Amino acid sequence: MKILQVALDVPLDTLFDYSAGDCGEAGIGDRVLVSFGRRKMVGVVAGIADHSILAPGRIKPVLQVFRDTPPLSGEILRLLQFCADYYHHPLGEVILNALPVPLRQTKPIAPAKAAAYRLTEAGLALEADALPSRAIVKHKLLLNLKQAGTLARSDIAALSPSAPQALKEFLAQGWAEETEEVGAAPSPRFIGPGRASYLPSLTPAQEQAVNAVLGKLEQFQVWLLHGITGSGKTEVYLRIIEQVLQRGGQALVLVPEINLTPQLESRFRARFPGAALVSLHSRLAAGERLRNWSLAQSGQARIVLGTRLSLFTPLPKLMLIVVDEEHDGSFKQQDGLRYSARDMAIARAKQAGVPVVLGSATPALESWHNAVTGRYQLLELPARAVAEAALPTIRCLDVTRANLVDGLSEPLIEALRTRLERGEQSLVFINRRGFAPVMRCGQCGWISTCHRCSSRLVVHLREKRLRCHHCGHESRMPHTCPDCGNADLAPIGLGTQRIEETLIGLFPTARILRVDRDSAKRKHALPEMLERIHAAEVDIIIGTQLMAKGHDFKKLTLVGVVNADGALYSADFRASERLFAQLMQVSGRAGRDTLPGEVLIQTQFPTHPLYQSLIRHDYNGFAESLLTERKQAEFPPYCHQVLLRAEAPLMETALAFLRKAKAAAPTRFDVTLFDPVPAQMARLAGNERAHLLVQAASRGALQAFAADWNKALTGLDGRVRWALDIDPQEF
Ligand code: ADP
Ligand code: ZN
Ligand code: ZN
């Protein structure tokens, strides 16, 4: 009897045996419906065997083999298997979680559900000058529909935040109509490489980078593209992708969540008007995600532009992977399968025998180390692509003894005033949303803390609420101190809202926009705000890290950095690496075009080496000094780490589990186990968290250790939630 070994979404590290039954042949990669306990579940056939250790009478038949989509390819199953092994995570969970949600459900999917649109006869006959010339978005919509034939709703939304509204009008006018065609097969005009009319001629450094990668297009190689902000890294990706399309291949481009802006997507679409580009990210509706995933799986989509989760998209003609801003923390998933999409992208490229380009102005130290030691090939773009766009001048403003107006120093206020007078844009960067980080009683010293987390409650003055930014708990702002009854409570410190109020007071006629997670909460709010900035409808932006990355605002010439010092002396050994990257990124927003840029950093430590390197735009020097420190301390990249995380209602339960775990650890490997300690954020959402760090010089030894340990940990203490975190990024 043929036995199907089925992967199921259950936290058990095993496959489950079923017989083929009478619903026809099922092969590896097929989705099947099976009964598991009392439930029906969807699984994926991951293996086929002749025998089972189960008695024949106990083997149940599969109930159904789904034929609604093609089976998962061997290529993608190999990647998922590698991922499960590397992160010591059950294969079934890894496979099922890589599928779009509709494919995990127990019903077959209805074909081509996603709505798509095309022009009617009337729409096709419509000349562009029949539309008012100011209706830019309508022009864009008309042009794109003409070019593509059929566009999905998500493609239209990607054109501009107001494109869906324009579409509504097209529908009302009878210029466009709904069609279901695109889910099954996009219009042929949608496929195949195209070329935009305007192409900048490459700088010598760009050309060198492009040629280096193109010279080795059909083999595995990790390229580290280290280019300062505005050096034209994206242009390098575009040129390589162009060749990939010409050779009939597919390209996977991974970007951090925040970076996947409509601007970036339009830049790709404009360059490849004929090539089917799909995006994949968590904000897409389930149906859209499935459609885009299927287009990639069938090979029709030639470029997949997506966030972390798009790594697991089946791509039969994969020829290139790009990881933009490869240092970004959002590539690492922090729950469930704690994988790094960057590291798995490298694994995928290796399996597929294709190049992977990691791009960044501030590479992760691990990547930099690999480049310096020759495991990765280093490509440098040392100057800005637009010759006139010099790097911004960076200065520190010593605020130790300065008179601050609600946190802003006189020179910064003056610089803002100058930009206003010149009609240029400014960004005040502060990485803390809300009005103030904490509320304090001047009488007894009470401060607002979260009862569920080891954190403070942030003051949101306008809503008169205190909020925990970690667990979401919120309460009304008290009028009097809960401890002593004193009515003299004060918000302490700075947040985006406070800076906003200060600036409104200082510059009452300026157009001021606050961009943080609160103001961007509404759907489409962020793209709309970005569009307003691009359209120069904003003078001063107050922004958190949402604003730090990727954006290319031509009129932005001043960046003021407020309150960055906190990370200089943090307990987290990666804090200074992150701060440097963040400040480089945010500085890179200034003076991207021909107007010179200036960056002013308010600090109490103006001579700190981090700021000194920043002033010289010296990533290489800073990375060298960090590597020296890491080597002395034997931290990554000079060792490899695994963190055993434990979570329980009581700290003692979590710590006791970790002590048992330490005692149960296999001893035949050359690894170092540290003592259990509470996590930096010891309490989160009502749970106490602790961890135990394991380190080793050899990754092989650490992996073998972790595999054995993982087995020993199972069933050790039912009250504790635990997880192994391979290559942990947060402690
Ligand atoms: P990065 O991704 O490194 O931040 P971009 O690729 O966004 O840089 O390029 C920065 C700016 O320079 C963009 O406006 C881009 O259009 C422009 N640019 C890139 N390469 C060239 C080039 N070779 N010649 C002229 N302009 C260029
Ligand atoms: Zn008090
Ligand atoms: Zn909380």
Side-chain angles (χ1 to χ4, degrees), residues 10 13 93 162 259 302 392 468 508 520 522 547 555 564 576 582 597 606 617 645 650 682:
V10 292
D13 195 7
E93 286 190 350
S162 49
N259 272 36
R302 304 289 297 283
C468 174
R522 203 169 40 77
M547 281 299 305
K555 301 206 75 165
S576 53
Q582 195 170 57
H617 302 277
R645 298 176 180 275
L650 294 175

Side-chain angles (χ1 to χ4, degrees), residues 38 66 85 116 415 696 712:
R38 292 190 192 157
F66 292 112
D85 292 344

Side-chain angles (χ1 to χ4, degrees), residues 31 69-72 76 98-100 103 278-280 287-299 301 309-310 312-315:
R31 266 161 57 249
T69 59
L72 285 181
I76 207 76
L99 295 179
L103 296 183
V278 295
S279 61
L280 279 172
E288 302 269 19
R289 208 149 125 187
L290 173 62
R291 165 190 168 270
N292 291 354
W293 190 89
S294 302
L295 284 170
Q297 188 192 28
S298 70
L309 60 89
S310 60
F312 297 113
T313 315
L315 294 160

